[in-house]
Amino acid sequence: MIGALLVGGLSQRMGRDKTMLALRGQRVVALLAGYLRETCGRCVLIGRSEQREQFSSACPDAFVADLVPGGGPLGGLHAALMHCDDDVLLLACDLPLMNAALLQRLNRTWSPPEMKALLPRTGPDFCEPTCAIWGRVCQPAVEAAVQRKRWSLRWLAQDVGAQFLDVSDAERKCLRNLNTPAELCVTEGVEFVDR
C-alpha cells in the first residue's frame, strides 16, 4: 500500500493555501506525510504540476502531478492509482487533526480482495472519502468516472461497493475538515505559516 497526500486543492473557500496550515508550529503537510509513511512505508504528494517545486524542498516524498487538472480529490486518486501498482491510502491535507492511529486502524481493517474501498464512517449518512483506502481494483471505475466527469468520491464509493469503518467520537475529531476561515478560527492550535 502507498500513502497519497492530496495537496492540489485551490483553497477557494479558505481564501489562502491550505498546504500552509500548521498545527502547533509544524506544517500539517509534513505531519500527514509522516503519518502516511509510518502507516504505509511510503508516501507520494499529489497536486497540480505547478506545485512540484513548492514541495520538492518542503517534503522529501515523491510528487505526482494530477493527470486531469481540476479533477478534485477523484482526480488525485486517479493520479495515485496511475502512478503506482498498489492500493492507495488517500488523505487530504485539510484534515489537520488527523493522527497515525486512525490511519493504522484503517490499514489493519483493510482486507483485499474482499474489500475494494474502505472509508471511515462518522454516522449513518456521512463517510470521509478523502481519508480512505482505495484498492487498485478501483482503477477502472476511477477511469470511467474521470471520462464521465463524475467527480464525487462518494459516488465512486457507491459504484465500487465500498466497505465502511465506524469511528469513535475521538476518531471523528481527526476527520474534521477545514475549508473556511470560520472553521479555522474554532480549531485550537491550527494556524497559517509563511514557510
Side-chain angles (χ1 to χ4, degrees):
M1 182 178 308
I2 189 168
L5 182 60
L6 300 175
V7 297
L10 297 176
S11 306
Q12 291 174 325
R13 289 177 283 172
M14 183 64 79
R16 291 183 68 183
D17 184 356
K18 290 190 279 187
T19 66
M20 300 306 292
L21 286 172
L23 177 63
R24 294 179 188 85
Q26 187 170 1
R27 289 252 329 254
V28 170
V29 167
L31 277 171
L32 298 178
Y35 298 155
L36 287 169
R37 279 191 305 278
E38 184 181 329
T39 302
C40 303
R42 57 196 175 122
C43 173
V44 295
L45 276 61
I46 310 287
R48 299 182 316 277
S49 59
E50 65 267 20
Q51 293 177 291
R52 185 180 305 275
E53 190 173 315
Q54 172 188 349
F55 289 105
S56 64
S57 60
C59 290
D61 302 288
F63 184 88
V64 175
D66 286 325
L67 300 172
V68 182
L74 188 130
L77 175 60
H78 177 253
L81 288 170
M82 296 299 287
H83 173 75
C84 67
D85 284 334
D86 212 341
D87 300 332
V88 172
L89 174 48
L90 192 70
L91 184 61
C93 73
D94 58 3
L95 297 169
L97 304 179
M98 180 54 58
N99 62 38
L102 178 55
L103 299 176
Q104 291 166 0
R105 188 157 95 87
L106 277 166
N107 192 23
R108 284 191 310 272
T109 306
W110 180 241
S111 179
E114 305 85 47
M115 292 182 174
K116 294 184 174 99
L118 178 63
L119 287 68
R121 180 170 46 198
T122 59
D125 297 324
F126 188 77
C127 61
E128 182 48 72
T130 61
C131 173
I133 298 175
W134 296 90
R136 181 92 184 125
V137 298
C138 293
Q139 185 173 354
V142 171
E143 289 180 21
V146 166
Q147 297 238 333
R148 292 189 320 255
K149 298 184 182 336
R150 191 175 181 203
W151 301 116
S152 170
L153 284 173
R154 287 190 178 91
W155 287 344
L156 178 67
Q158 287 178 340
D159 290 348
V160 300
Q163 302 288 319
F164 299 97
L165 175 68
D166 291 318
V167 297
S168 68
D169 288 340
E171 290 170 326
R172 186 173 298 132
K173 291 176 187 171
C174 296
L175 296 167
R176 186 149 181 240
N177 182 294
L178 296 186
N179 285 314
T180 67
E183 291 168 341
L184 178 64
C185 285
V186 297
T187 306
E188 186 179 334
V190 181
E191 62 189 1
F192 278 102
V193 294
D194 294 323
R195 51 182 161 77

